[in-house]
Amino acid sequence: MELLCLEMDTIIRARPDPNLLCDDRVLQSLLTIEERFLPQYSYFKGVQKDIQPFMRRMVATWMLEVCEEQKCEEEVFPLAMNYLDRFLAVVPTKKCNLQLLGAVCMFLASKLKETRPLTAEKLCIYTDNSIRPQELLEWELVVLGKLKWNLAAVTPNDFIEHIVRRLPLPEDKLALIRKHVQTFIALCATDFRFAMYPPSMIATGSVGAAICGLQLDSADQSQWGDSLTDLLAKITNTEVDVLKECQEQIERVLVSSLREGRQQQQQQQQQTQRGPSGKGLDELDQSSTPTDVRDVNL
Amino acid sequence: MKDLSWTRLPSTDNCGTMDTRKRIGHRIGHRIGKGPARRNLFGPVDREQLQVEYQAALQEDLEEACQRWGFDFISDKPLERSDFQWHAIPANKVPLLYRSCMLGPGRTEGQRTAEAAVKPKGQGRVEPPQSDKENIPCSPERCALNMEKTPERRENTGLKRKQTNITDFYQAKRRVVWMPLKSGE
């Protein structure tokens, strides 16, 4: 008799727990502790000498691509970026070690959030073997030390359900809204301008941007009572003006990101027309747009 | 703002993102690093320099821990000026599991962590030949050997496991109540 194991590729997830999601105290606690996990400084102005904001974006984009390709849980990437920013806020880091740091942060975030975490070997392959598993493990210890082992950071993703549940949204659109919000959150994590924002603000702004983007706010104005922004601001105790600005910033980043994505597509098309001789360009391709966002068809 | 209207355009295909993940998964399958995500971003890594920085960072962490706990973990003695009062407990008063974890002086950083694993002898207990307990301090070198393997669950070893606390070795009495408010960093 042959024994078949059919459990191979199913990932077991806990169901959303109404005890946690419907209790106001949970949201209040998240709001209280979230600031503790923000990077302490805008590190490009002080701590970091060798690395530039565009390098953070390069490593962030690469991390997002790896997370996408490995089908990581949604919060892995924003959490890894939180580790990266907190580390960079205290440790001057060389450009050539930035990818190692990114890999370490994904390694840690994946271990914290996933039932089947990314392996060190896989991550090293993704760096095109420029780092070794041994180095990854050594630096894991260093990063943990610098983060004071505080890994359970609050991410914008922690707020999604709390916010969405408090809004009068059509049931059949919820999955789509969640997906768009996650995409916006990932997009924010790739952009340093959002690194110092509290996660709740990024989450609230992303929900606002998603609802507006899907035009769910204009369908029936009366159901909202207050405007959407007012309602959102109330949920996470954010100032309305600040929230508005944040949402607009998210929308701007999306637009420029889409534009870059389009240009890149064109470049790639031209390249394929030209044949494999255009390899130099391919290496230059910094793929600075999150893959997920590139697939948003607006 | 004209640009913003982009995001508000009526769309029939907004579901685009919904299946992205699935599609990507389908496209790439489980082969690792065949796609464009496999790339070296910033050129070669200076391995020697990396090793130096690694050792320096560990040293720094150790010194921080010494200051924080008022205990010199290298010479294994309480610091003179400390917020804590340390009382030594005879080795036979602590659970077996922790006994040989004591860090002796005069050993180098790498050795110290590597040898910290507990190897109880002659106690009539069945122990795994190579300890695979998650709680045992373990240097990266050591981990590299059996990395990525889920430790097998071993039943009936007769040992209750718990997280090692520094207070397992020394009773801590706090002398000074004031502590800075802990933040994320």
Side-chain angles (χ1 to χ4, degrees):
Chain A
M1 195 174 91
E2 270 184 73
L3 290 175
L4 291 174
C5 181
L6 300 173
E7 292 179 3
M8 281 305 284
D9 272 326
T10 42
I11 288 177
I12 298 170
R13 284 190 184 81
R15 284 200 206 101
D17 185 348
N19 290 314
L20 296 176
L21 295 173
C22 301
D23 192 328
D24 215 34
R25 290 175 300 176
V26 177
L27 177 60
Q28 290 314 315
S29 299
L30 284 171
L31 289 169
T32 312
I33 63 169
E34 65 173 347
E35 307 256 346
R36 287 185 213 171
F37 302 97
L38 285 179
Q40 298 293 297
Y41 314 100
S42 182
Y43 49 79
F44 289 116
K45 285 187 189 133
V47 186
Q48 302 301 337
K49 302 269 184 281
D50 196 24
I51 56 175
Q52 306 282 325
F54 81 89
M55 295 174 189
R56 181 193 182 274
R57 205 153 82 113
M58 277 172 75
V59 77
T61 307
W62 170 73
M63 287 162 72
L64 181 58
E65 283 173 42
V66 173
C67 288
E68 291 274 342
E69 201 168 301
Q70 287 297 310
K71 288 181 254 168
C72 293
E73 298 284 336
E74 284 291 343
E75 62 263 51
V76 170
F77 171 63
L79 188 61
M81 287 309 293
N82 172 274
Y83 298 162
L84 184 109
D85 286 329
R86 282 162 60 199
F87 184 87
L88 289 179
V90 286
V91 184
T93 305
K94 291 199 190 69
K95 181 178 79 175
C96 62
N97 297 338
L98 193 54
Q99 193 170 18
L100 168 61
L101 177 62
V104 168
C105 292
M106 280 194 277
F107 191 48
L108 288 170
S110 171
K111 281 204 234 182
L112 194 79
K113 292 288 180 184
E114 299 196 280
T115 46
R116 243 177 267 163
L118 294 169
T119 63
E121 283 91 348
K122 262 188 201 171
L123 286 166
C124 289
I125 292 172
Y126 274 113
T127 68
D128 206 15
N129 295 315
S130 64
I131 58 168
R132 299 178 188 145
Q134 157 101 18
E135 287 153 351
L136 190 83
L137 294 174
E138 286 174 352
W139 282 86
E140 180 187 24
L141 203 57
V142 174
V143 174
L144 280 168
K146 296 300 171 200
L147 299 183
K148 310 257 187 261
W149 292 77
N150 281 331
L151 294 195
V154 179
T155 63
N157 304 62
D158 294 324
F159 290 96
I160 300 176
E161 280 310 301
H162 289 284
I163 298 169
V164 167
R165 272 166 187 267
R166 286 171 170 79
L167 296 172
L169 292 167
E171 196 71 31
D172 59 323
K173 296 276 189 208
L174 283 182
L176 180 61
I177 293 167
R178 272 190 208 109
K179 184 66 217 171
H180 277 219
V181 174
Q182 283 164 347
T183 304
F184 281 125
I185 289 171
L187 186 65
C188 292
T190 60
D191 195 313
F192 182 67
R193 284 169 289 178
F194 294 94
M196 312 285 286
Y197 287 14
S200 62
M201 200 203 291
I202 291 172
T204 320
S206 296
V207 173
I211 292 173
C212 292
L214 293 167
Q215 290 198 305
L216 296 171
D217 59 331
S218 52
D220 183 9
Q221 282 288 355
S222 59
Q223 70 173 344
W224 293 100
D226 300 316
S227 81
L228 171 63
T229 316
D230 290 342
L231 195 53
L232 282 169
K234 235 177 265 172
I235 293 170
T236 48
N237 301 329
T238 317
E239 277 179 52
V240 177
D241 291 344
V242 179
L243 179 59
K244 256 184 200 153
E245 172 54 34
C246 177
Q247 185 179 325
E248 279 166 17
Q249 202 174 343
I250 292 171
E251 286 165 342
R252 281 197 295 273
V253 171
L254 174 71
V255 169
S256 65
S257 175
L258 285 170
R259 198 179 292 147
E260 275 173 37
R262 228 161 266 172
Q263 281 170 359
Q264 226 164 59
Q265 261 177 2
Q266 282 168 1
Q267 269 177 16
Q268 276 163 5
Q269 276 164 7
Q270 285 166 6
Q271 242 170 65
T272 40
Q273 280 161 12
R274 252 184 282 138
S277 60
K279 220 202 160 204
L281 259 178
D282 188 40
E283 278 160 14
L284 280 175
D285 169 25
Q286 291 168 2
S287 189
S288 45
T289 319
T291 41
D292 213 13
V293 178
R294 243 182 282 166
D295 285 326
V296 183
N297 298 306
L298 295 170
Chain B
M1 298 195 85
K2 206 182 170 192
D3 277 350
L4 280 188
S5 61
W6 272 35
T7 55
R8 292 164 194 268
L9 284 176
S11 70
T12 48
D13 198 23
N14 242 327
C15 297
T17 45
M18 279 296 281
D19 296 310
T20 306
R21 189 145 291 190
K22 272 186 211 150
R23 280 191 279 117
I24 286 175
H26 188 71
R27 218 184 299 148
I28 288 161
H30 287 287
R31 287 168 302 147
I32 308 157
K34 296 272 181 184
R38 174 178 173 164
R39 59 186 189 267
N40 177 359
L41 298 177
F42 304 106
V45 175
D46 183 345
R47 306 220 123 80
E48 273 176 37
Q49 185 60 30
L50 196 67
Q51 224 2 262
V52 171
E53 284 171 33
Y54 165 63
Q55 294 298 346
L58 283 193
Q59 190 62 35
E60 202 179 298
D61 279 354
L62 190 65
E63 274 158 27
E64 255 181 55
C66 291
Q67 289 307 316
R68 176 163 182 213
W69 293 104
F71 192 91
D72 185 343
F73 293 103
I74 297 165
S75 65
D76 205 27
K77 288 190 182 92
L79 294 177
E80 287 195 4
R81 295 183 57 186
S82 145
D83 290 347
F84 297 93
Q85 255 181 351
W86 294 94
H87 296 276
I89 294 174
N92 59 10
K93 291 278 170 65
V94 298
L96 188 65
L97 186 64
Y98 304 127
R99 266 176 225 177
S100 50
C101 281
M102 310 288 278
L103 305 178
R107 285 190 254 175
T108 63
E109 182 70 30
Q111 280 174 320
R112 221 157 32 77
T113 38
E115 289 169 20
V118 185
K119 288 181 193 131
K121 280 178 195 136
Q123 300 288 323
R125 281 191 165 127
V126 185
E127 272 290 302
Q130 194 197 7
S131 190
D132 57 1
K133 291 187 199 108
E134 58 270 68
N135 284 344
I136 290 178
C138 172
S139 76
E141 295 94 302
R142 208 184 146 88
C143 294
L145 298 174
N146 50 12
M147 175 173 62
E148 310 306 344
K149 285 180 200 142
T150 312
E152 281 174 54
R153 188 177 289 269
R154 286 175 202 264
E155 308 284 344
N156 305 324
T157 47
L159 280 178
K160 279 218 167 170
R161 289 170 200 163
K162 66 176 188 111
Q163 180 78 47
T164 315
N165 286 320
I166 196 144
T167 47
D168 291 327
F169 305 103
Y170 289 93
Q171 284 177 331
K173 281 185 188 164
R174 195 176 282 186
R175 199 192 286 153
V176 178
V177 179
W178 182 85
M179 287 282 271
L181 196 68
K182 291 283 171 295
S183 69
E185 297 302 323

PDB file of all heavy atoms in Angstrom, chain A residues 259-287:
ATOM      1  N   ARG A 259       4.081  54.920 -13.460  1.00  0.00           N
ATOM      2  CA  ARG A 259       4.716  55.521 -14.626  1.00  0.00           C
ATOM      3  C   ARG A 259       6.066  54.853 -14.897  1.00  0.00           C
ATOM      4  O   ARG A 259       6.363  54.466 -16.020  1.00  0.00           O
ATOM      5  CB  ARG A 259       4.906  57.022 -14.380  1.00  0.00           C
ATOM      6  CG  ARG A 259       5.137  57.823 -15.645  1.00  0.00           C
ATOM      7  CD  ARG A 259       5.298  59.288 -15.321  1.00  0.00           C
ATOM      8  NE  ARG A 259       4.059  59.893 -14.836  1.00  0.00           N
ATOM      9  CZ  ARG A 259       4.002  60.877 -13.937  1.00  0.00           C
ATOM     10  NH1 ARG A 259       5.109  61.339 -13.400  1.00  0.00           N
ATOM     11  NH2 ARG A 259       2.849  61.385 -13.553  1.00  0.00           N
ATOM     12  N   GLU A 260       6.827  54.671 -13.828  1.00  0.00           N
ATOM     13  CA  GLU A 260       8.115  53.986 -13.988  1.00  0.00           C
ATOM     14  C   GLU A 260       7.935  52.575 -14.504  1.00  0.00           C
ATOM     15  O   GLU A 260       8.684  52.113 -15.362  1.00  0.00           O
ATOM     16  CB  GLU A 260       8.842  53.920 -12.639  1.00  0.00           C
ATOM     17  CG  GLU A 260       9.635  55.155 -12.325  1.00  0.00           C
ATOM     18  CD  GLU A 260      10.200  55.099 -10.907  1.00  0.00           C
ATOM     19  OE1 GLU A 260      10.590  53.996 -10.482  1.00  0.00           O
ATOM     20  OE2 GLU A 260      10.225  56.147 -10.247  1.00  0.00           O
ATOM     21  N   GLY A 261       6.912  51.930 -13.949  1.00  0.00           N
ATOM     22  CA  GLY A 261       6.639  50.563 -14.381  1.00  0.00           C
ATOM     23  C   GLY A 261       6.365  50.502 -15.870  1.00  0.00           C
ATOM     24  O   GLY A 261       6.865  49.629 -16.573  1.00  0.00           O
ATOM     25  N   ARG A 262       5.603  51.475 -16.342  1.00  0.00           N
ATOM     26  CA  ARG A 262       5.260  51.504 -17.756  1.00  0.00           C
ATOM     27  C   ARG A 262       6.509  51.730 -18.617  1.00  0.00           C
ATOM     28  O   ARG A 262       6.719  51.066 -19.614  1.00  0.00           O
ATOM     29  CB  ARG A 262       4.232  52.614 -17.997  1.00  0.00           C
ATOM     30  CG  ARG A 262       3.064  52.147 -18.824  1.00  0.00           C
ATOM     31  CD  ARG A 262       1.886  53.078 -18.670  1.00  0.00           C
ATOM     32  NE  ARG A 262       0.971  52.602 -17.632  1.00  0.00           N
ATOM     33  CZ  ARG A 262      -0.070  53.315 -17.191  1.00  0.00           C
ATOM     34  NH1 ARG A 262      -0.290  54.523 -17.653  1.00  0.00           N
ATOM     35  NH2 ARG A 262      -0.872  52.820 -16.287  1.00  0.00           N
ATOM     36  N   GLN A 263       7.319  52.700 -18.166  1.00  0.00           N
ATOM     37  CA  GLN A 263       8.555  52.964 -18.902  1.00  0.00           C
ATOM     38  C   GLN A 263       9.416  51.714 -18.977  1.00  0.00           C
ATOM     39  O   GLN A 263       9.989  51.396 -20.021  1.00  0.00           O
ATOM     40  CB  GLN A 263       9.359  54.075 -18.216  1.00  0.00           C
ATOM     41  CG  GLN A 263       8.829  55.462 -18.533  1.00  0.00           C
ATOM     42  CD  GLN A 263       9.469  56.518 -17.656  1.00  0.00           C
ATOM     43  OE1 GLN A 263      10.293  56.212 -16.807  1.00  0.00           O
ATOM     44  NE2 GLN A 263       9.077  57.766 -17.860  1.00  0.00           N
ATOM     45  N   GLN A 264       9.443  51.027 -17.843  1.00  0.00           N
ATOM     46  CA  GLN A 264      10.271  49.839 -17.799  1.00  0.00           C
ATOM     47  C   GLN A 264       9.779  48.773 -18.754  1.00  0.00           C
ATOM     48  O   GLN A 264      10.544  48.148 -19.469  1.00  0.00           O
ATOM     49  CB  GLN A 264      10.211  49.286 -16.387  1.00  0.00           C
ATOM     50  CG  GLN A 264      11.540  48.923 -15.875  1.00  0.00           C
ATOM     51  CD  GLN A 264      11.449  48.765 -14.380  1.00  0.00           C
ATOM     52  OE1 GLN A 264      10.683  47.943 -13.896  1.00  0.00           O
ATOM     53  NE2 GLN A 264      12.189  49.549 -13.665  1.00  0.00           N
ATOM     54  N   GLN A 265       8.452  48.633 -18.772  1.00  0.00           N
ATOM     55  CA  GLN A 265       7.865  47.666 -19.688  1.00  0.00           C
ATOM     56  C   GLN A 265       8.259  47.992 -21.120  1.00  0.00           C
ATOM     57  O   GLN A 265       8.636  47.112 -21.898  1.00  0.00           O
ATOM     58  CB  GLN A 265       6.339  47.693 -19.564  1.00  0.00           C
ATOM     59  CG  GLN A 265       5.816  46.576 -18.690  1.00  0.00           C
ATOM     60  CD  GLN A 265       4.313  46.652 -18.529  1.00  0.00           C
ATOM     61  OE1 GLN A 265       3.653  47.525 -19.098  1.00  0.00           O
ATOM     62  NE2 GLN A 265       3.769  45.742 -17.757  1.00  0.00           N
ATOM     63  N   GLN A 266       8.150  49.296 -21.436  1.00  0.00           N
ATOM     64  CA  GLN A 266       8.514  49.707 -22.797  1.00  0.00           C
ATOM     65  C   GLN A 266       9.962  49.362 -23.083  1.00  0.00           C
ATOM     66  O   GLN A 266      10.290  48.813 -24.128  1.00  0.00           O
ATOM     67  CB  GLN A 266       8.281  51.206 -22.972  1.00  0.00           C
ATOM     68  CG  GLN A 266       6.810  51.538 -23.171  1.00  0.00           C
ATOM     69  CD  GLN A 266       6.541  53.031 -23.056  1.00  0.00           C
ATOM     70  OE1 GLN A 266       7.468  53.805 -22.839  1.00  0.00           O
ATOM     71  NE2 GLN A 266       5.291  53.423 -23.215  1.00  0.00           N
ATOM     72  N   GLN A 267      10.819  49.676 -22.098  1.00  0.00           N
ATOM     73  CA  GLN A 267      12.240  49.359 -22.274  1.00  0.00           C
ATOM     74  C   GLN A 267      12.441  47.880 -22.530  1.00  0.00           C
ATOM     75  O   GLN A 267      13.176  47.477 -23.429  1.00  0.00           O
ATOM     76  CB  GLN A 267      13.017  49.729 -21.003  1.00  0.00           C
ATOM     77  CG  GLN A 267      13.567  51.134 -21.035  1.00  0.00           C
ATOM     78  CD  GLN A 267      14.259  51.470 -19.724  1.00  0.00           C
ATOM     79  OE1 GLN A 267      14.579  50.574 -18.946  1.00  0.00           O
ATOM     80  NE2 GLN A 267      14.493  52.732 -19.489  1.00  0.00           N
ATOM     81  N   GLN A 268      11.729  47.099 -21.716  1.00  0.00           N
ATOM     82  CA  GLN A 268      11.895  45.661 -21.865  1.00  0.00           C
ATOM     83  C   GLN A 268      11.420  45.186 -23.225  1.00  0.00           C
ATOM     84  O   GLN A 268      12.032  44.325 -23.849  1.00  0.00           O
ATOM     85  CB  GLN A 268      11.128  44.927 -20.756  1.00  0.00           C
ATOM     86  CG  GLN A 268      11.944  44.847 -19.474  1.00  0.00           C
ATOM     87  CD  GLN A 268      11.096  44.508 -18.267  1.00  0.00           C
ATOM     88  OE1 GLN A 268       9.899  44.241 -18.405  1.00  0.00           O
ATOM     89  NE2 GLN A 268      11.688  44.528 -17.105  1.00  0.00           N
ATOM     90  N   GLN A 269      10.298  45.793 -23.672  1.00  0.00           N
ATOM     91  CA  GLN A 269       9.800  45.412 -24.990  1.00  0.00           C
ATOM     92  C   GLN A 269      10.817  45.743 -26.068  1.00  0.00           C
ATOM     93  O   GLN A 269      11.112  44.927 -26.939  1.00  0.00           O
ATOM     94  CB  GLN A 269       8.474  46.116 -25.281  1.00  0.00           C
ATOM     95  CG  GLN A 269       7.293  45.374 -24.682  1.00  0.00           C
ATOM     96  CD  GLN A 269       6.041  46.224 -24.619  1.00  0.00           C
ATOM     97  OE1 GLN A 269       6.041  47.341 -25.159  1.00  0.00           O
ATOM     98  NE2 GLN A 269       5.010  45.732 -23.995  1.00  0.00           N
ATOM     99  N   GLN A 270      11.364  46.976 -25.958  1.00  0.00           N
ATOM    100  CA  GLN A 270      12.377  47.363 -26.935  1.00  0.00           C
ATOM    101  C   GLN A 270      13.553  46.392 -26.894  1.00  0.00           C
ATOM    102  O   GLN A 270      14.105  46.007 -27.922  1.00  0.00           O
ATOM    103  CB  GLN A 270      12.878  48.779 -26.647  1.00  0.00           C
ATOM    104  CG  GLN A 270      11.868  49.844 -27.060  1.00  0.00           C
ATOM    105  CD  GLN A 270      12.210  51.198 -26.465  1.00  0.00           C
ATOM    106  OE1 GLN A 270      13.249  51.352 -25.844  1.00  0.00           O
ATOM    107  NE2 GLN A 270      11.343  52.170 -26.674  1.00  0.00           N
ATOM    108  N   GLN A 271      13.890  46.017 -25.690  1.00  0.00           N
ATOM    109  CA  GLN A 271      15.012  45.114 -25.535  1.00  0.00           C
ATOM    110  C   GLN A 271      14.777  43.774 -26.207  1.00  0.00           C
ATOM    111  O   GLN A 271      15.627  43.260 -26.916  1.00  0.00           O
ATOM    112  CB  GLN A 271      15.228  44.865 -24.046  1.00  0.00           C
ATOM    113  CG  GLN A 271      16.563  45.324 -23.575  1.00  0.00           C
ATOM    114  CD  GLN A 271      16.597  45.263 -22.075  1.00  0.00           C
ATOM    115  OE1 GLN A 271      16.514  44.191 -21.486  1.00  0.00           O
ATOM    116  NE2 GLN A 271      16.679  46.412 -21.444  1.00  0.00           N
ATOM    117  N   THR A 272      13.587  43.241 -25.979  1.00  0.00           N
ATOM    118  CA  THR A 272      13.309  41.937 -26.577  1.00  0.00           C
ATOM    119  C   THR A 272      13.277  42.034 -28.093  1.00  0.00           C
ATOM    120  O   THR A 272      13.640  41.096 -28.799  1.00  0.00           O
ATOM    121  CB  THR A 272      11.971  41.361 -26.077  1.00  0.00           C
ATOM    122  OG1 THR A 272      11.024  42.424 -26.012  1.00  0.00           O
ATOM    123  CG2 THR A 272      12.123  40.757 -24.695  1.00  0.00           C
ATOM    124  N   GLN A 273      12.834  43.219 -28.583  1.00  0.00           N
ATOM    125  CA  GLN A 273      12.847  43.389 -30.035  1.00  0.00           C
ATOM    126  C   GLN A 273      14.278  43.401 -30.553  1.00  0.00           C
ATOM    127  O   GLN A 273      14.587  42.874 -31.613  1.00  0.00           O
ATOM    128  CB  GLN A 273      12.144  44.688 -30.422  1.00  0.00           C
ATOM    129  CG  GLN A 273      10.623  44.527 -30.419  1.00  0.00           C
ATOM    130  CD  GLN A 273       9.911  45.860 -30.340  1.00  0.00           C
ATOM    131  OE1 GLN A 273      10.529  46.907 -30.499  1.00  0.00           O
ATOM    132  NE2 GLN A 273       8.614  45.833 -30.117  1.00  0.00           N
ATOM    133  N   ARG A 274      15.128  44.041 -29.761  1.00  0.00           N
ATOM    134  CA  ARG A 274      16.516  44.139 -30.189  1.00  0.00           C
ATOM    135  C   ARG A 274      17.276  42.820 -30.032  1.00  0.00           C
ATOM    136  O   ARG A 274      18.347  42.639 -30.547  1.00  0.00           O
ATOM    137  CB  ARG A 274      17.225  45.231 -29.378  1.00  0.00           C
ATOM    138  CG  ARG A 274      17.523  46.466 -30.195  1.00  0.00           C
ATOM    139  CD  ARG A 274      18.306  47.447 -29.359  1.00  0.00           C
ATOM    140  NE  ARG A 274      17.430  48.150 -28.438  1.00  0.00           N
ATOM    141  CZ  ARG A 274      17.739  48.399 -27.173  1.00  0.00           C
ATOM    142  NH1 ARG A 274      18.881  47.992 -26.675  1.00  0.00           N
ATOM    143  NH2 ARG A 274      16.912  49.061 -26.404  1.00  0.00           N
ATOM    144  N   GLY A 275      16.718  41.943 -29.244  1.00  0.00           N
ATOM    145  CA  GLY A 275      17.378  40.657 -29.053  1.00  0.00           C
ATOM    146  C   GLY A 275      18.318  40.673 -27.862  1.00  0.00           C
ATOM    147  O   GLY A 275      18.375  41.663 -27.130  1.00  0.00           O
ATOM    148  N   PRO A 276      19.033  39.610 -27.664  1.00  0.00           N
ATOM    149  CA  PRO A 276      19.814  39.457 -26.433  1.00  0.00           C
ATOM    150  C   PRO A 276      21.011  40.396 -26.336  1.00  0.00           C
ATOM    151  O   PRO A 276      21.692  40.417 -25.314  1.00  0.00           O
ATOM    152  CB  PRO A 276      20.286  37.989 -26.501  1.00  0.00           C
ATOM    153  CG  PRO A 276      20.219  37.634 -27.946  1.00  0.00           C
ATOM    154  CD  PRO A 276      19.165  38.483 -28.561  1.00  0.00           C
ATOM    155  N   SER A 277      21.289  41.175 -27.378  1.00  0.00           N
ATOM    156  CA  SER A 277      22.455  42.063 -27.323  1.00  0.00           C
ATOM    157  C   SER A 277      22.281  43.159 -26.277  1.00  0.00           C
ATOM    158  O   SER A 277      23.241  43.734 -25.811  1.00  0.00           O
ATOM    159  CB  SER A 277      22.706  42.685 -28.689  1.00  0.00           C
ATOM    160  OG  SER A 277      21.559  43.427 -29.076  1.00  0.00           O
ATOM    161  N   GLY A 278      21.050  43.435 -25.903  1.00  0.00           N
ATOM    162  CA  GLY A 278      20.800  44.523 -24.945  1.00  0.00           C
ATOM    163  C   GLY A 278      20.997  44.107 -23.505  1.00  0.00           C
ATOM    164  O   GLY A 278      20.313  44.572 -22.616  1.00  0.00           O
ATOM    165  N   LYS A 279      21.913  43.219 -23.271  1.00  0.00           N
ATOM    166  CA  LYS A 279      22.056  42.680 -21.917  1.00  0.00           C
ATOM    167  C   LYS A 279      22.559  43.701 -20.897  1.00  0.00           C
ATOM    168  O   LYS A 279      22.225  43.631 -19.728  1.00  0.00           O
ATOM    169  CB  LYS A 279      22.987  41.470 -21.940  1.00  0.00           C
ATOM    170  CG  LYS A 279      22.489  40.369 -21.019  1.00  0.00           C
ATOM    171  CD  LYS A 279      23.556  39.407 -20.598  1.00  0.00           C
ATOM    172  CE  LYS A 279      23.104  38.687 -19.335  1.00  0.00           C
ATOM    173  NZ  LYS A 279      24.197  38.191 -18.560  1.00  0.00           N
ATOM    174  N   GLY A 280      23.356  44.631 -21.399  1.00  0.00           N
ATOM    175  CA  GLY A 280      23.872  45.661 -20.503  1.00  0.00           C
ATOM    176  C   GLY A 280      22.745  46.419 -19.827  1.00  0.00           C
ATOM    177  O   GLY A 280      22.769  46.669 -18.635  1.00  0.00           O
ATOM    178  N   LEU A 281      21.734  46.704 -20.589  1.00  0.00           N
ATOM    179  CA  LEU A 281      20.579  47.420 -20.043  1.00  0.00           C
ATOM    180  C   LEU A 281      19.865  46.573 -18.996  1.00  0.00           C
ATOM    181  O   LEU A 281      19.396  47.075 -17.992  1.00  0.00           O
ATOM    182  CB  LEU A 281      19.605  47.745 -21.178  1.00  0.00           C
ATOM    183  CG  LEU A 281      19.630  49.173 -21.714  1.00  0.00           C
ATOM    184  CD1 LEU A 281      18.642  49.305 -22.854  1.00  0.00           C
ATOM    185  CD2 LEU A 281      19.269  50.155 -20.590  1.00  0.00           C
ATOM    186  N   ASP A 282      19.812  45.310 -19.279  1.00  0.00           N
ATOM    187  CA  ASP A 282      19.106  44.402 -18.385  1.00  0.00           C
ATOM    188  C   ASP A 282      19.731  44.441 -16.992  1.00  0.00           C
ATOM    189  O   ASP A 282      19.059  44.415 -15.981  1.00  0.00           O
ATOM    190  CB  ASP A 282      19.163  42.993 -18.959  1.00  0.00           C
ATOM    191  CG  ASP A 282      18.281  42.046 -18.157  1.00  0.00           C
ATOM    192  OD1 ASP A 282      17.180  42.493 -17.783  1.00  0.00           O
ATOM    193  OD2 ASP A 282      18.689  40.925 -17.891  1.00  0.00           O
ATOM    194  N   GLU A 283      21.046  44.526 -16.988  1.00  0.00           N
ATOM    195  CA  GLU A 283      21.720  44.564 -15.692  1.00  0.00           C
ATOM    196  C   GLU A 283      21.488  45.896 -14.983  1.00  0.00           C
ATOM    197  O   GLU A 283      21.506  45.968 -13.771  1.00  0.00           O
ATOM    198  CB  GLU A 283      23.223  44.323 -15.872  1.00  0.00           C
ATOM    199  CG  GLU A 283      23.531  42.833 -15.990  1.00  0.00           C
ATOM    200  CD  GLU A 283      24.868  42.563 -16.621  1.00  0.00           C
ATOM    201  OE1 GLU A 283      25.665  43.519 -16.726  1.00  0.00           O
ATOM    202  OE2 GLU A 283      25.102  41.422 -17.028  1.00  0.00           O
ATOM    203  N   LEU A 284      21.277  46.906 -15.791  1.00  0.00           N
ATOM    204  CA  LEU A 284      21.027  48.207 -15.187  1.00  0.00           C
ATOM    205  C   LEU A 284      19.626  48.300 -14.602  1.00  0.00           C
ATOM    206  O   LEU A 284      19.352  49.138 -13.767  1.00  0.00           O
ATOM    207  CB  LEU A 284      21.203  49.311 -16.233  1.00  0.00           C
ATOM    208  CG  LEU A 284      22.631  49.723 -16.523  1.00  0.00           C
ATOM    209  CD1 LEU A 284      22.656  50.722 -17.655  1.00  0.00           C
ATOM    210  CD2 LEU A 284      23.279  50.327 -15.285  1.00  0.00           C
ATOM    211  N   ASP A 285      18.777  47.439 -15.095  1.00  0.00           N
ATOM    212  CA  ASP A 285      17.381  47.472 -14.679  1.00  0.00           C
ATOM    213  C   ASP A 285      17.285  47.342 -13.166  1.00  0.00           C
ATOM    214  O   ASP A 285      17.606  46.312 -12.594  1.00  0.00           O
ATOM    215  CB  ASP A 285      16.646  46.306 -15.341  1.00  0.00           C
ATOM    216  CG  ASP A 285      15.255  46.127 -14.754  1.00  0.00           C
ATOM    217  OD1 ASP A 285      14.716  47.122 -14.242  1.00  0.00           O
ATOM    218  OD2 ASP A 285      14.740  45.015 -14.829  1.00  0.00           O
ATOM    219  N   GLN A 286      16.882  48.424 -12.529  1.00  0.00           N
ATOM    220  CA  GLN A 286      16.818  48.374 -11.075  1.00  0.00           C
ATOM    221  C   GLN A 286      15.433  48.008 -10.595  1.00  0.00           C
ATOM    222  O   GLN A 286      15.175  47.931  -9.417  1.00  0.00           O
ATOM    223  CB  GLN A 286      17.274  49.702 -10.486  1.00  0.00           C
ATOM    224  CG  GLN A 286      18.748  49.875 -10.708  1.00  0.00           C
ATOM    225  CD  GLN A 286      19.209  51.266 -10.427  1.00  0.00           C
ATOM    226  OE1 GLN A 286      18.409  52.103 -10.032  1.00  0.00           O
ATOM    227  NE2 GLN A 286      20.466  51.530 -10.628  1.00  0.00           N
ATOM    228  N   SER A 287      14.585  47.823 -11.533  1.00  0.00           N
ATOM    229  CA  SER A 287      13.263  47.306 -11.232  1.00  0.00           C
ATOM    230  C   SER A 287      12.680  47.974  -9.997  1.00  0.00           C
ATOM    231  O   SER A 287      12.359  47.339  -9.017  1.00  0.00           O
ATOM    232  CB  SER A 287      13.386  45.802 -11.005  1.00  0.00           C
ATOM    233  OG  SER A 287      12.135  45.230 -10.905  1.00  0.00           O
TER     234      SER A 287
END
